[in-house]
Amino acid sequence: MHVTRTQDPKERISNFSEVDLGYADTDAIAEAKRCLQCTNPTCVPGCPVGIDIPGFIRRIAAGDPDGALAVLKETNYLPGTCGRVCPQEDQCEKACILQAKKDPINIGKLEKYAADMGKHSFVKKPPIGRKVAVVGSGPAGLTCASFLAMHGVAVTVLEALHEPGGVLRYGIPEFRMPNAIVEREVEQLTRLGVVFEMNVLVGRTVTLDELRAEYDAVFIGSGAGLPYFLNVPGEEKTGVLTANEFLTRINLMHGYRFPEYDTPIKRAEHAVVIGGGNVAMDAARAARRLGSQVTVAYRRTEAEMPARIEEIRHAKEEGIGFELLAAPIEIIGDTKVSGISCQRMALGDPDASGRRRPVPVEGETFTLPCDQVVIAIGQGCNPVLLKGCDAELGKGGTVAVDRTFMTSIPGVYAGGDAVSGSSTVIMAMHDGREAAKAILARLKNHHSRIANYK
Amino acid sequence: MTFPIVEKETLNEGTVLLRVKAPRIAAHAQAGQFVVLRIREKGERIPLTLADWDEETITLVFQPVGKTTQDLAKMLPGGSIRDVLGPLGNPAEISKVGTVVLVGGGLGIAPLFPQARAFKEAGNRVVCVIGVRTKGLLFWEDRFKGYAELVVCTEDGSHGMKGLVTDGLKRVMRERKVDRVVAIGPPVMMKFVSLATREAMIPTVVSINSIMVDGIGMCGGCRVPLTTKEIRFSCADGPEFDGHIVDWDALLVRNRMYEDEEKACRCT
Ligand SMILES: Cc1cc2nc3c(=O)[nH]c(=O)nc-3n(C[C@H](O)[C@H](O)[C@H](O)COP(=O)(O)OP(=O)(O)OC[C@H]3O[C@@H](n4cnc5c(N)ncnc54)[C@H](O)[C@@H]3O)c2cc1C
Ligand SMILES: Cc1cc2nc3c(=O)[nH]c(=O)nc-3n(C[C@H](O)[C@H](O)[C@H](O)COP(=O)(O)OP(=O)(O)OC[C@H]3O[C@@H](n4cnc5c(N)ncnc54)[C@H](O)[C@@H]3O)c2cc1C
Ligand code: SF4
Ligand code: FES
């Protein structure tokens, strides 16, 4: 496999710039040429949105990044994002035929290359005289908005925060997902005529009923941003915060550039990050860049960590320590945190998810001294909109939808983390697109009915 | 879309009023709610309570205590605020309960106003106990007329009764049956109000000013320490809480979390 260039670990821990520097043209072409162009490509079914993978790779091999990007955008409106954050090792690359030789095509990085190097603009169909409100500007909302706008629908995206992008903006740090990329993907929507209204919390600034009265359909892509806590003693101490708060202060508010920006962020001597997913890796690596010594504490082993392999590798290169088989039991300190006590765990039998369940090792506890604890153990659905509306809820406070992604309220659709609980960017995009198709079908149906009456 | 300032008034040496055009927020505002605003691109998001509103505008009353509030105090009509999000938080629980005593210290007077109006309109007898250091710091006395009976407490005795709001509250409690107390102000004040009403078992609602970032329930920074050990967010579950189950000492510590950085910001 031809690998991409990255920033040197010693250098990158003192900046927030993107770690992966991408392919030079020659390397991208060389990697693309390794693709066997299978007649029955096994990679494609591995992709949740079914990108024509050999198709876009063929364009890269031919030195045509514009063509490659056009192929990508047939199925994926945010390739610059997916190329960076999708868990390719569990999806397309895992399914690639060359995986048999342990050397799959580097599909993710090629996707990123095409997205960054290629030029493309969407072709827009004539207006159909219908309008749709999209709640939330994360990957689900942006994808839904793109599809509808391309098909001539007037789309307004309503976002509670002051910048669009959802997790791509407030969660995933600059060193992995530069804001400039998010801006570019958003800009392409503006060019399609999508209107963005920031600072609108649906359920408070406008109600869902008001939206239903004003628009022909509504899509809810409000995500899953409600952070979970450990529920151990000492969690209220200063120095204990959620990864969401930590990352929001850094990404959305630019706290790492305090005092140039007004929002402060604590630079700890030693930070302990609890969790083993992408969120934990992002928090740990962000803390490292603020100058902290960082330890990630996770209750299972590395093999069970849900984070992307690349993130774990990058974290290790950056000198982040891993305390595995460690479950927090108490945060200690008087008013400020001074350490975290953990229970030593061992792997027991597999649980419902198929992963081996961690079980406590009797009598083995230990303390990690630290002055900051960042909790990254998952999140639930944003409650504000969902609590106040009549849509039926599913398990864990998610929105219940049918096969067409419609909620129990006619004309109101939902997708992404708001429906799945907590998932991935690509699954959110998948939902956004499928919901958009259903919305379009509904609008056209109603449209023809109205036309017939005339 | 930005949010133009249409009126500015200096209420006293340390308190500023801004009226800001924000029709959508104004149309949905209810007593007890707040907004989160960001003045400019590099600014911080800070929460401020809705002190009043009409069809088009919202009124904010604040004290310049740090970087953002000082910058805000320098703004003039014609200028505009980059981001204002709201109305946030759950509306105050307003119903007919009998006699309601609203307690506000210093700045707390302004956020009490919508509550006084709402409780009065719901058919309650409303008493406002307002505390300030000295007479010159008092404002909006006349605005409350018609909605509430005012009990003014000054620390130096220059107006009304001499003493703290807790003294005023205790006097009202001695004189009549109080069915509910609502306190808005500095945490220390709310703590002592809650202590005073606890024995008398008067339901007491306090409005918790935690440190906030997003204001929509996504960061957990505003979590309120409760003696019940449940985790509740001031922005999404509050801002009003039962004053008798707030862990005041833990809350006071949490609000000082960014003290060092705040100082750094003020010096620059
Ligand atoms: C730190 C972090 C790292 C991650 N890393 C990866 C990764 O590497 N790979 C991967 O595939 N996935 C990753 N994920 C998960 C992924 O980001 C999410 O699954 C995805 O963003 C979900 O998209 P969404 O559109 O459903 O919601 P979100 O991206 O959460 O967007 C929802 C938006 O809706 C807004 N909103 C909420 N309520 C309202 C309302 N009432 N009115 C208006 N707006 C509202 C929110 O402010 C937000 O902007 C990560 C998540 C986090 C937090
Ligand atoms: C729901 C809510 C409603 C509020 N309503 C009002 C109001 O109507 N009028 C008013 O003057 N103030 C109000 N506050 C407090 C106001 O938000 C803070 O004074 C402001 O954030 C200070 O910001 P700064 O940059 O000017 O000062 P900083 O230098 O950041 O801080 C100065 C002081 O304010 C405290 N503080 C800092 N950030 C916050 C914060 N986010 N929330 C609470 N305290 C903070 C600090 O502990 C410090 O003591 C409210 C707070 C909340 C949570
Ligand atoms: S399976 Fe691998 S080799 Fe075959 S088309 Fe897909 S990327 Fe190319
Ligand atoms: S301010 Fe972030 S959860 Fe309340």
Side-chain angles (χ1 to χ4, degrees):
Chain A
M1 184 194 286
H2 299 266
V3 295
T4 51
R5 301 154 299 157
T6 54
Q7 263 200 83
D8 183 77
K10 280 197 227 47
E11 242 163 65
R12 71 186 190 229
I13 56 167
S14 53
N15 68 52
F16 273 79
S17 312
E18 190 169 11
V19 168
D20 181 81
L21 301 174
Y23 276 127
D25 296 337
T26 46
D27 291 338
I29 292 172
E31 178 66 8
K33 283 189 170 153
R34 285 206 310 125
C35 171
L36 304 176
Q37 294 294 320
C38 308
T39 25
N40 274 320
T42 49
C43 55
V44 177
C47 171
V49 299
I51 292 177
D52 174 7
I53 294 169
F56 94 81
I57 293 183
R58 186 163 65 239
R59 289 345 183 257
I60 295 180
D64 174 19
D66 295 354
L69 185 56
V71 173
L72 281 167
K73 291 222 170 156
E74 284 165 15
T75 40
N76 181 335
Y77 307 135
L78 312 170
T81 301
C82 287
R84 287 174 166 83
V85 304
C86 274
Q88 289 93 2
E89 71 257 23
D90 296 324
Q91 299 178 167
C92 53
E93 292 177 14
K94 184 182 184 181
C96 169
I97 195 87
L98 294 172
Q99 184 64 259
K101 294 186 181 160
K102 297 257 175 291
D103 194 17
I105 299 295
N106 203 348
I107 302 169
K109 292 290 189 277
L110 286 175
E111 180 178 20
K112 175 181 157 177
Y113 170 82
D116 289 359
M117 298 301 163
K119 283 189 202 59
H120 172 266
S121 27
F122 286 118
V123 188
K124 202 181 152 178
K125 299 223 169 96
I128 64 165
R130 307 243 116 194
K131 48 186 193 169
V132 172
V134 169
V135 182
S137 62
L142 291 180
T143 304
C144 182
S146 303
F147 183 93
L148 291 172
M150 269 188 278
H151 288 83
V153 177
V155 183
T156 303
V157 177
L158 306 153
E159 167 59 52
L161 295 175
H162 58 253
E163 303 274 15
V167 168
L168 309 180
R169 174 76 67 157
Y170 77 77
I172 307 181
E174 187 75 15
F175 54 80
R176 202 150 74 81
M177 183 70 237
N179 276 340
I181 303 293
V182 183
E183 269 152 33
R184 207 174 61 200
E185 313 228 68
V186 166
E187 210 220 37
Q188 99 193 352
L189 265 75
T190 335
R191 266 188 279 130
L192 278 172
V194 174
V195 175
F196 283 85
E197 289 186 11
M198 300 295 115
N199 300 310
V200 178
L201 180 63
V202 176
R204 295 273 189 227
T205 318
V206 290
T207 63
L208 189 57
D209 286 339
E210 287 169 323
L211 291 182
R212 291 181 62 207
E214 193 182 337
Y215 294 88
D216 298 306
V218 180
F219 174 78
I220 299 174
S222 54
L226 176 79
Y228 292 150
F229 284 85
L230 298 166
N231 286 314
V232 301
E235 229 167 358
E236 75 292 345
K237 294 189 197 310
T238 50
V240 182
L241 69 176
T242 66
N244 267 14
E245 178 179 354
F246 188 65
L247 292 169
T248 301
R249 283 180 182 271
I250 291 173
N251 301 324
L252 182 70
M253 305 311 300
H254 305 275
Y256 65 98
R257 286 164 70 182
F258 177 88
E260 181 200 344
Y261 283 77
D262 292 345
T263 305
I265 180 89
K266 278 270 182 234
R267 291 172 185 260
E269 288 288 322
H270 192 158
V272 171
V273 177
I274 313 292
N278 287 319
V279 186
M281 293 307 118
D282 284 345
R285 297 173 66 202
R288 187 82 186 102
R289 283 160 173 76
L290 293 175
S292 310
Q293 286 301 316
V294 185
T295 306
V296 171
Y298 180 56
R299 61 195 180 121
R300 310 183 203 232
T301 70
E302 191 178 323
E304 288 83 24
M305 278 196 177
R308 297 174 77 231
I309 289 176
E310 187 185 12
E311 311 315 327
I312 300 173
R313 190 180 70 232
H314 282 167
K316 285 183 182 164
E317 288 170 6
E318 290 163 10
I320 288 162
F322 286 80
E323 189 64 64
L324 300 170
L325 293 167
I329 45 177
E330 184 175 358
I331 295 166
I332 47 186
D334 47 17
T335 58
K336 281 190 179 138
V337 47
S338 64
I340 179 162
S341 305
C342 297
Q343 165 73 52
R344 181 58 74 206
M345 310 298 277
L347 287 186
D349 298 330
D351 64 10
S353 72
R355 294 185 302 175
R356 291 177 65 193
R357 192 197 310 270
V359 289
V361 180
E362 199 64 47
E364 263 192 60
T365 62
F366 58 96
T367 299
L368 298 170
C370 61
D371 55 343
Q372 186 171 59
V373 172
V374 182
I375 303 166
I377 55 163
Q379 50 253 358
C381 276
N382 286 339
V384 178
L385 165 61
L386 307 181
K387 247 194 318 205
C389 79
D390 310 323
E392 237 169 72
L393 300 185
K395 61 173 189 306
T398 55
V399 196
V401 291
D402 65 13
R403 273 190 306 119
T404 68
F405 290 90
M406 192 163 84
T407 66
S408 60
I409 308 174
V412 178
Y413 294 72
D417 280 3
V419 164
S420 62
S422 199
S423 170
T424 56
V425 168
I426 193 70
M427 287 314 295
M429 291 178 39
H430 166 269
D431 290 6
R433 193 185 64 181
E434 293 309 305
K437 284 183 188 162
I439 292 172
L440 191 66
R442 181 187 167 87
L443 297 185
K444 285 195 166 155
N445 251 330
H446 282 222
H447 194 65
S448 50
R449 261 218 318 272
I450 294 165
N452 288 344
Y453 280 119
K454 275 183 187 158
Chain B
M1 197 182 68
T2 57
F3 298 82
I5 295 172
V6 294
E7 185 190 335
K8 177 180 184 175
E9 190 185 337
T10 303
L11 296 173
N12 64 41
E13 52 182 80
T15 312
V16 178
L17 174 152
L18 287 182
R19 211 149 61 76
V20 180
K21 194 164 171 218
R24 266 184 173 167
I25 301 176
H28 295 88
Q30 292 181 64
Q33 292 186 300
F34 62 96
V35 296
V36 164
L37 62 82
R38 191 177 71 135
I39 301 179
R40 56 195 179 94
E41 161 71 25
K42 293 186 178 176
E44 186 174 10
R45 293 168 69 96
I46 66 152
L48 293 175
T49 306
L50 289 164
D52 203 357
W53 54 88
D54 55 25
E55 281 87 52
E56 286 269 291
T57 69
I58 56 171
T59 299
L60 306 172
V61 174
F62 60 93
Q63 284 173 332
V65 293
K67 178 82 167 71
T68 307
T69 42
Q70 281 161 8
D71 288 351
L72 199 58
K74 289 186 203 125
M75 298 190 73
L76 296 168
S80 64
I81 303 173
R82 194 178 166 113
D83 304 293
V84 185
L85 171 67
L88 301 177
N90 295 303
E93 218 187 289
I94 308 286
S95 57
K96 188 165 181 210
V97 291
T99 300
V100 180
V101 181
L102 308 180
V103 186
L107 182 86
I109 301 170
L112 279 185
F113 174 69
Q115 303 234 10
R117 184 169 57 192
F119 272 113
K120 180 72 188 178
E121 282 166 0
N124 294 282
R125 249 180 314 138
V126 185
V127 182
C128 276
V129 179
I130 287 172
V132 283
R133 215 170 58 245
T134 180
K135 184 178 178 196
L137 296 177
L138 191 67
F139 59 87
W140 278 20
E141 219 175 340
D142 47 333
R143 208 184 261 225
F144 280 85
K145 295 228 171 80
Y147 294 116
E149 180 189 326
L150 277 192
V151 177
V152 178
C153 311
T154 48
E155 280 174 42
D156 62 0
S158 54
H159 189 53
M161 71 178 267
K162 184 173 184 322
L164 302 171
V165 278
T166 35
D167 301 318
L169 170 65
K170 281 177 190 156
R171 192 172 88 186
V172 177
M173 282 165 58
R174 272 196 305 275
E175 285 168 359
R176 57 188 112 179
K177 182 174 167 293
V178 174
D179 300 291
R180 173 159 328 157
V181 170
V182 178
I184 304 184
V188 190
M189 179 211 100
M190 294 192 290
K191 171 182 172 176
F192 284 104
V193 166
S194 301
L195 286 177
T197 56
R198 190 177 191 129
E199 247 170 77
M201 302 215 304
I202 303 170
T204 299
V205 174
V206 295
S207 182
I208 301 293
N209 288 8
S210 324
I211 290 181
M212 293 188 176
V213 184
D214 54 299
I216 58 175
M218 283 172 26
C219 75
C222 67
R223 63 192 187 276
V224 180
L226 299 178
T227 52
T228 55
K229 300 291 171 201
E230 292 157 296
I231 290 182
R232 289 287 179 274
F233 295 172
S234 177
C235 70
D237 302 312
E240 298 201 330
F241 289 88
D242 173 353
H244 297 151
I245 60 164
V246 172
D247 181 343
W248 293 103
D249 297 329
L251 181 77
L252 286 164
V253 168
R254 281 195 66 77
N255 277 3
R256 287 197 297 271
M257 185 146 33
Y258 288 96
E259 217 165 29
D260 303 342
E261 288 80 359
E262 281 153 1
K263 277 189 206 122
C265 204
R266 276 194 287 273
C267 299
T268 51

